[in-house]
Amino acid sequence: MAIEHFDVLIVGAGISGIGAGYHLQANCPSKTYAILEGRDAMGGTWDLFRYPGIRSDSDMFTLGYSFRPWTEAKSIADGPSILKYLRETARDNGIDRKIRFRHFVKRASWSTEDALWTVEVERGEEKEPVRFTCNFLFMCSGYYNYAEGYTPDFPGAERFKGRIVHPQKWTDDIDYAGKRVIVIGSGATAVTLVPEMAKTAAHVTMLQRSPTYVATVPAEDKLANAMRRYLPAKLAYGLTRWKKVLLSMYFYKLSRRKPEGVKQFLLKQVREQLGPDYDVARHFTPSYNPWDQRLCAVPNGDLFDAIRSKRASVVTDRIETFTEKGIKLESGTELEADLIVTATGLNLQVLSDLQISVDGAPVDMSKTLYYKGMMYSDVPNFASAFGYTNASWTLKCDLTCEYVCRLINHMDRTGLRQCTPRRNDPTLGEEPFLDFSSGYVQRTIDKFPKQGSKAPWKLYQNYALDIVSLKFGRIEDGAMEFSNPRPASAEQKRLAS
């Protein structure tokens, strides 16, 4: 079997993988790389999800790349616009030519002697075995299972005469015009689906077990659009990006310091849009504090518009069983439907279930410690892109890509081939990977690595701190071990003798 070698292998051609390709080209221009993508198209999340109304829940001035301005009018953008932006970024920078589609990465084995990863791949529908080697392996494959979303075992689901679909499995043949729809869930997907489907459905019911905080945000940033008319695109984009970053950081910190005040601010916003007679306490008042789970953003209050117009409604109750006509609730009420959409979440997945070994020893990722939010204790020359939970995904991924390039360039300058985070501080405590109470996190958190109680193992979820640490902080920080000198060439050996 022929084995192809690259200096860097990137796994995943979504928003993180395309960004990684750009940063490698810009900061490590002499390095060869390829992007291995399991699906037959680039775009990741933004190509996979096809459900009605699919959109970002972060503004595009921060979800967009630092190096490519977002120039469309909408700040909260729809899925097709985001996918177009990603494809244009890949095409304009020649990144699309580096992507190997239908390459499913299964196993990766590190050899200290050779300072190489051997990556085993299944290619195409035939699952043809293919091997690659690389000096650095960079996982940009996201954090959830692309094959299957999360759906609870609903009693009696087989009795329902209509169609049941998870948004992750949406297909073009699903017709809901003039039909009664139940959307189960209260997260970002549900609050996106409901107002969009309500435009043509007979009625849409959002059935939730418990409420989520929902914040109305402008679909367009008027100041950003005005600046773009008078300033160079990159300058206008940079100023808007920092404005958005600082506002989101301020709001998150305020939520932690004064949760009750932020809670009342959010609920007041809901009351103003739904009126004094609406039961906000039941349907839009969660039992937890803001940012204990991720907030849902609705552009221009479209969800509340749909509720006010009676095209949509919210029911807060528990499911007793599915019936032939719909869903029977524990309260005794039966909701009738022609279509049920289970917007019940994702199945989190650690590094796409990649099997990893170092010098023949299997690595249990749940036993590792997370270094700077991107690398893993005792796993050499290996990083993953994972965004913020309290801000846009791309903000952290951009910084991660730049830091990986710094590591690679540092090893080139010093003649060392291996960088390995080492847990060498006996006072270091362990904490959960994510401090989120959301069900999709709690279901699988035990499979993820731990974070440490202090830097560089602590996840601060703070863009400003990460800029200082990742762009300007010391590479040799005492926790990152550089080793494995480059072997002397035949000429060097001859001169030495």
Side-chain angles (χ1 to χ4, degrees):
M1 180 191 302
I3 299 177
E4 264 191 287
H5 175 78
F6 294 93
D7 294 316
V8 182
L9 273 179
I10 298 165
V11 179
I15 196 166
S16 311
I18 293 168
Y22 175 87
H23 285 286
L24 274 171
Q25 291 178 179
N27 300 310
C28 304
S30 66
K31 298 299 179 185
T32 60
Y33 79 93
I35 302 175
L36 305 182
E37 168 56 52
R39 303 176 69 246
D40 55 10
M42 73 176 79
T45 294
W46 302 107
D47 180 71
L48 175 70
F49 286 111
R50 305 292 177 91
Y51 61 79
I54 172 70
R55 66 189 181 211
S56 65
D57 63 350
S58 300
D59 68 89
M60 285 305 299
F61 299 101
T62 54
L63 188 65
Y65 297 116
S66 58
F67 55 85
R68 186 181 182 93
W70 174 258
T71 57
E72 295 195 21
K74 281 189 176 180
S75 174
I76 303 296
D78 59 87
S81 297
I82 299 171
L83 186 58
K84 176 172 174 279
Y85 170 82
L86 296 179
R87 288 175 174 166
E88 288 176 350
T89 302
R91 182 200 65 208
D92 293 349
N93 292 283
I95 299 164
D96 55 347
R97 297 193 295 272
K98 305 287 189 177
I99 303 173
R100 310 286 183 92
F101 294 108
R102 304 185 75 87
H103 280 61
F104 295 85
V105 176
K106 307 299 287 186
R107 284 168 292 278
S109 309
W110 172 260
S111 165
T112 295
E113 182 180 354
D114 302 313
L116 285 179
W117 284 101
T118 299
V119 180
E120 298 178 45
V121 175
E122 292 178 352
R123 180 167 61 192
E125 290 184 8
E126 300 79 17
K127 297 186 178 180
E128 175 192 358
V130 181
R131 283 188 178 179
F132 296 86
T133 58
C134 64
N135 303 106
F136 201 101
L137 183 56
F138 194 4
M139 298 295 294
C140 296
S141 52
Y143 65 104
Y144 66 90
N145 187 340
Y146 274 43
E148 205 72 48
Y150 174 72
T151 304
D153 291 326
F154 291 117
E158 72 285 349
R159 296 164 55 195
F160 180 58
K161 297 298 186 184
R163 188 166 181 176
I164 303 172
V165 61
H166 190 283
Q168 196 167 320
K169 295 287 189 179
W170 195 274
T171 53
D172 292 338
D173 66 322
I174 299 171
D175 178 21
Y176 56 89
K179 296 183 178 179
R180 300 162 299 174
V181 180
I182 297 174
V183 176
I184 304 173
S186 61
T189 303
V191 303
T192 298
L193 277 163
V194 169
E196 181 65 23
M197 297 182 79
K199 292 176 182 177
T200 56
H203 187 80
V204 182
T205 302
M206 188 170 90
L207 173 58
Q208 60 181 14
R209 186 173 57 183
S210 57
T212 298
Y213 287 107
V214 180
T216 295
V217 296
E220 296 186 12
D221 187 315
K222 292 181 180 178
L223 179 59
N225 291 341
M227 281 198 295
R228 202 160 42 232
R229 286 196 294 272
Y230 301 106
L231 296 174
K234 283 194 174 182
L235 177 59
Y237 181 66
L239 290 171
T240 304
R241 186 176 173 89
W242 268 107
K243 182 194 78 169
K244 298 285 188 182
V245 166
L246 293 173
L247 281 174
S248 67
M249 285 173 58
Y250 169 76
F251 189 74
Y252 178 75
K253 285 192 171 184
L254 189 65
S255 299
R256 291 306 197 197
R257 286 201 314 267
K258 298 182 178 179
E260 187 59 31
V262 172
K263 175 180 179 178
Q264 293 309 318
F265 167 77
L266 292 169
L267 297 182
K268 180 173 180 285
Q269 192 183 59
V270 176
R271 290 190 191 98
E272 287 174 349
Q273 293 177 88
L274 293 180
D277 298 328
Y278 193 86
D279 194 350
V280 172
R282 178 172 178 79
H283 300 307
F284 286 98
T285 306
S287 58
Y288 55 86
N289 287 327
W291 278 116
D292 285 352
Q293 298 182 21
R294 194 172 172 95
L295 266 65
C296 289
V298 292
N300 295 340
D302 60 0
L303 173 67
F304 303 119
D305 288 344
I307 294 170
R308 276 200 315 272
S309 67
K310 309 296 185 185
R311 292 177 286 114
S313 58
V314 179
V315 173
T316 306
D317 207 332
R318 289 179 175 269
I319 295 171
E320 179 179 307
T321 184
F322 278 47
T323 66
E324 291 186 358
K325 296 181 179 179
I327 296 175
K328 184 180 179 184
L329 306 175
E330 288 187 357
S331 63
T333 303
E334 183 170 2
L335 301 175
E336 294 190 358
D338 305 297
L339 171 68
I340 297 175
V341 184
T342 55
T344 44
L346 307 168
N347 282 316
L348 298 198
Q349 195 174 46
V350 183
L351 302 173
S352 298
D353 281 346
L354 179 69
Q355 296 176 33
I356 302 171
S357 63
V358 174
D359 294 324
V363 176
D364 181 348
M365 297 309 295
S366 69
K367 306 294 188 210
T368 64
L369 209 60
Y370 208 28
Y371 173 84
K372 293 191 174 180
M374 70 179 79
M375 298 179 75
Y376 305 85
S377 56
D378 301 325
V379 183
N381 293 32
F382 181 93
S384 66
F386 197 98
Y388 293 116
T389 56
N390 64 346
S392 288
W393 180 266
T394 319
L395 288 175
K396 179 62 181 289
C397 291
D398 264 338
L399 292 177
T400 297
C401 293
E402 290 184 33
Y403 186 80
V404 165
C405 292
R406 288 183 70 198
L407 276 180
I408 292 169
N409 289 335
H410 181 82
M411 286 191 285
D412 279 353
R413 285 193 302 270
T414 57
L416 298 171
R417 300 184 296 168
Q418 183 167 324
C419 57
T420 314
R422 300 291 191 193
R423 180 178 179 170
N424 50 21
D425 181 353
T427 67
L428 190 65
E430 292 186 354
E431 298 176 4
F433 174 70
L434 291 176
D435 181 24
F436 250 24
S437 62
S438 304
Y440 73 96
V441 172
Q442 295 304 314
R443 282 194 299 271
T444 49
I445 193 66
D446 59 318
K447 297 180 182 178
F448 279 77
K450 307 294 188 296
Q451 63 167 309
S453 55
K454 54 186 173 181
W457 306 94
K458 177 78 172 174
L459 285 171
Y460 290 102
Q461 300 288 352
N462 185 299
Y463 182 60
L465 284 178
D466 281 341
I467 283 180
V468 173
S469 169
L470 302 181
K471 290 192 76 161
F472 306 109
R474 291 175 57 224
I475 291 283
E476 300 204 24
D477 59 2
M480 180 65 76
E481 175 188 280
F482 291 92
S483 60
N484 213 343
R486 190 174 294 116
S489 66
E491 178 64 15
Q492 288 170 325
K493 289 177 181 177
R494 186 187 67 78
L495 292 173
S497 62

